[in-house]
Amino acid sequence: MKPYAHLWEIIHKGSYPELYDIDRDWQEYYSSYVSTYLERDINELIAADSITFTKFLTSVAARTGEMLNYAKIASEVGVSEPTIKTWISILERTGIVFLLQPYSANALNRAIKTPKIYFRDTGLACYLTRWLTADALKNSAVAGNMFETFIVSEILKSYTNEGKDYKFNIFYYRGKDKKASVENEIDLIIEEDGCLYPIEIKMSGNPKATMGAANPILDKVKEKSRGMGIILCLIDKKTYLRENLLALPIEYI
């Protein structure tokens, strides 16, 4: 069997235990989940009909893995920007989404300050955006974002399972602090004991050292050290791409 043969089935199905404990129809389960979530968990928190809020959920799901743009979501849903900010906050508090904050340091004065938004469950995001099969998802234009969402979610779970608050440890970077005309991005920065570990998430089985080209930006943060760079990807074994850059199979998370 090829490595990662079932990866897209896992990403598409999602991680809710009920889908694995018993044989549940995927669409029926998520339809019921959304209805229950709307009726039980947030009915008293929003002043909107379920159709409008479901439209909002779908709009956010379509943007998983992207920088959060309240104005665009507000325009798409047809409500005010302050309302969208309130609703995003509700999604975060109820565990539907995670806001990945940008890494902040005085030395990185050209870094973007906008958070990125991720759905915590890829199955729910797929259901809301109507990717009804794993094959359709794998070959879609959103495959990269959904793959990244899956990896980020799994990393967050590893912190939660150890009782750690990941909000103090996990960030991303995007900006022009490097001498270049284009923006550079580091998908994840994990900070541990004063050391910054840059991580790239790539839907590739053939990682290149150039994928870690933005990592030296972190050397500008003099009060921190830069740790080993990681390319999380679809490679089949741990591989050093250079002395301070390691390609890891996604199983390592």
Side-chain angles (χ1 to χ4, degrees):
M1 183 179 294
K2 293 182 179 179
Y4 308 108
H6 300 296
L7 174 64
W8 287 98
E9 284 82 358
I10 295 168
I11 293 174
H12 181 262
K13 189 170 186 176
S15 59
Y16 287 107
E18 294 92 334
L19 282 167
Y20 295 87
D21 292 341
I22 57 176
D23 188 19
R24 288 286 298 273
D25 178 78
W26 184 84
Q27 288 198 63
E28 184 275 328
Y29 172 78
Y30 280 110
S31 175
S32 176
Y33 180 89
V34 171
S35 296
T36 302
Y37 175 71
L38 289 171
E39 293 168 5
R40 183 192 64 196
D41 294 343
I42 62 167
N43 188 44
E44 297 178 358
L45 299 175
I46 63 169
D49 61 87
S50 61
I51 293 175
T52 301
F53 197 80
T54 301
K55 188 176 181 180
F56 158 72
L57 282 174
T58 301
S59 181
V60 175
R63 290 171 168 81
T64 186
E66 296 182 4
M67 286 192 294
L68 180 54
N69 189 318
Y70 293 106
K72 283 188 177 180
I73 298 172
S75 176
E76 193 168 289
V77 178
V79 300
S80 71
E81 194 170 328
T83 296
I84 293 298
K85 290 182 178 181
T86 299
W87 289 358
I88 292 284
S89 177
I90 291 170
L91 293 191
E92 189 174 25
R93 291 202 312 269
T94 54
I96 299 297
V97 301
F98 166 70
L99 298 188
L100 180 65
Q101 298 298 328
Y103 184 74
S104 178
N106 291 334
L108 303 178
N109 56 11
R110 301 190 69 188
I112 287 172
K113 303 297 192 290
T114 305
K116 293 177 74 173
I117 190 164
Y118 292 91
F119 253 61
R120 295 295 298 267
D121 186 83
T122 49
L124 179 58
C126 288
Y127 170 76
L128 289 165
T129 51
R130 311 313 292 160
W131 293 106
L132 302 182
T133 68
D135 281 341
L137 177 66
K138 179 181 179 180
N139 297 302
S140 73
V142 303
N145 277 13
M146 207 65 76
F147 178 78
E148 182 177 322
T149 296
F150 172 74
I151 298 300
V152 170
S153 179
E154 290 300 306
I155 291 173
L156 297 186
K157 286 176 193 173
S158 70
Y159 274 78
T160 302
N161 292 340
E162 293 183 12
K164 295 180 180 179
D165 189 345
Y166 44 74
K167 291 182 180 179
F168 296 102
N169 298 89
I170 302 179
F171 310 91
Y172 87 100
Y173 168 84
R174 186 170 179 176
K176 293 183 179 180
D177 290 282
K178 197 175 178 182
K179 292 181 179 179
S181 58
V182 297
E183 289 180 344
N184 292 279
E185 184 168 5
I186 300 173
D187 290 334
L188 290 177
I189 297 170
I190 295 182
E191 182 173 358
E192 296 280 358
D193 299 322
C195 189
L196 303 174
Y197 297 92
I199 297 175
E200 290 297 311
I201 300 168
K202 298 296 182 184
M203 198 174 64
S204 169
N206 186 29
K208 307 292 186 183
T210 52
M211 292 176 177
N215 293 355
I217 289 170
L218 298 181
D219 294 336
K220 298 180 72 172
V221 186
K222 299 303 182 183
E223 64 272 23
K224 308 286 184 181
S225 61
R226 172 163 62 104
M228 175 70 70
I230 301 294
I231 310 294
L232 278 173
C233 58
L234 301 179
I235 198 170
D236 59 357
K237 63 181 179 179
K238 181 171 72 172
T239 304
Y240 279 92
L241 302 177
R242 56 174 183 249
E243 183 181 355
N244 61 348
L245 186 64
L246 180 63
L248 285 180
I250 60 174
E251 286 93 340
Y252 274 74
I253 60 175

